[in-house]
Amino acid sequence: MTKFLDKTLFLEDEKATTELATNIAAALENLFGGVNSFSKDNSNEGVIVYLLGDLGAGKSFLSRALIQYFLPEQKVKSPTYTLVETYSVEGIAPFAIHHFDLYRLCDPEELEYLAIRDLLAHKSLNLVEWPSKGKGVMPEADLVIELQHLDAGRNVQLYAQSDVGQVIIDSMS
């Protein structure tokens, strides 16, 4: 993976994690529907975000906060057993959010049974926990968020892996 820029943050509690999710989501909202609306290429308009970290590091909490930014009343369940949960965001520029949890994936080829290529072929935000389990099938990330649980709080590293990822990091307040 090539790092374009990295940003390090300390999150002291869940409120700080929710604020990080809000900043990332606001940048994504601008990409999806704003003046700077994007198209990476003709075949894929999805943004891929990898969430890295040990069990309990906060990947699912951050994912839930991102999803609930766009869908505040949405009950967000973990895709641990289903591998993917999909949410539709309506509005001026509708898009889908796909929340993947690949922890229980035995073989990356199993993603083909989930119609991964169809899911990723449309304007979407794709949050991927345990992306190494989908190596070779899951596309490379635009943004990598690595969470490390500490005794008090969490350290977070953000790595832009594409121009889109760079725009997201640059847009964060």
Side-chain angles (χ1 to χ4, degrees), residues 13 15 42 60 68-69 77 83 110 112 120 145 163:
D13 54 21
K15 181 180 179 200
N42 293 332
S60 292
Q68 288 178 332
Y69 173 89
K77 55 186 179 170
L83 298 180
E110 290 177 49
E112 296 296 342
L120 301 177
I145 302 172
D163 292 339

Side-chain angles (χ1 to χ4, degrees), residues 8-13 16-17 148 150 152-157:
T8 303
L9 304 166
F10 173 73
L11 306 174
E12 61 184 309
D13 54 21
T17 303
Q148 178 187 24
L150 306 172
R154 286 168 173 69
N155 275 335
V156 178
Q157 294 272 106

Side-chain angles (χ1 to χ4, degrees), residues 100-120:
F100 295 89
D101 184 336
L102 306 182
Y103 183 75
R104 296 191 182 280
L105 195 69
C106 294
D107 185 320
E109 293 299 318
E110 290 177 49
L111 290 170
E112 296 296 342
Y113 297 117
L114 296 174
I116 186 84
R117 295 180 203 291
D118 292 337
L119 288 175
L120 301 177

Side-chain angles (χ1 to χ4, degrees), residues 122-139:
H122 304 285
K123 189 182 287 190
S124 58
L125 167 58
N126 302 283
L127 305 171
V128 186
E129 298 182 41
W130 303 99
S132 62
K133 298 273 195 158
K135 188 173 181 154
V137 175
M138 185 62 69

Side-chain angles (χ1 to χ4, degrees), residues 4 57 63 75-76 79 99 120 132 137 157:
F4 287 129
S63 295
K75 182 176 173 154
V76 177
H99 181 196
L120 301 177
S132 62
V137 175
Q157 294 272 106

Side-chain angles (χ1 to χ4, degrees), residues 4-24:
F4 287 129
L5 174 126
D6 78 317
K7 183 173 189 140
T8 303
L9 304 166
F10 173 73
L11 306 174
E12 61 184 309
D13 54 21
E14 288 182 351
K15 181 180 179 200
T17 303
T18 301
E19 289 172 4
L20 172 62
T22 298
N23 284 331
I24 294 169

